[in-house]
Amino acid sequence: MHPDWARRGIGSKILELCENAARAAGFTRFEMGATLTGVPLYARHGYVEVERAGLPFKNGDSLAIVRMVKED
């Protein structure tokens, strides 16, 4: 994301719309695999970290993934 668009509530609004759609479909538990940069956003919205893992790439590198959960 371009820095000029950071901290304007766009991610929060997208998350709100997704959660509302999930609630309308009957879901009461939300779970995701977040990148490290997304963890603060999701934590502000009630998600709790439950596990950390690495997503391996073919070149030997890996991407840290944080499993986060929210119960309504």
Side-chain angles (χ1 to χ4, degrees), residues 15-30 72:
L15 182 60
E16 175 189 344
L17 293 170
C18 291
E19 288 180 351
N20 288 343
R23 282 185 196 97
F27 290 89
T28 59
R29 177 183 167 94
F30 310 101
D72 258 5

Side-chain angles (χ1 to χ4, degrees), residues 4 7 10 15 30 36 38-39 43 48 55 57 61-62 64 69 72:
D4 289 348
R7 309 285 308 157
I10 296 168
L15 182 60
F30 310 101
L36 294 178
V39 169
V48 177
L55 177 64
F57 295 117
D61 289 338
S62 67
V69 174
D72 258 5

Side-chain angles (χ1 to χ4, degrees), residues 8-19 41 44-45:
R8 291 190 176 201
I10 296 168
S12 293
K13 188 62 175 179
I14 292 169
L15 182 60
E16 175 189 344
L17 293 170
C18 291
E19 288 180 351
L41 169 72
R44 279 195 303 276
H45 290 279

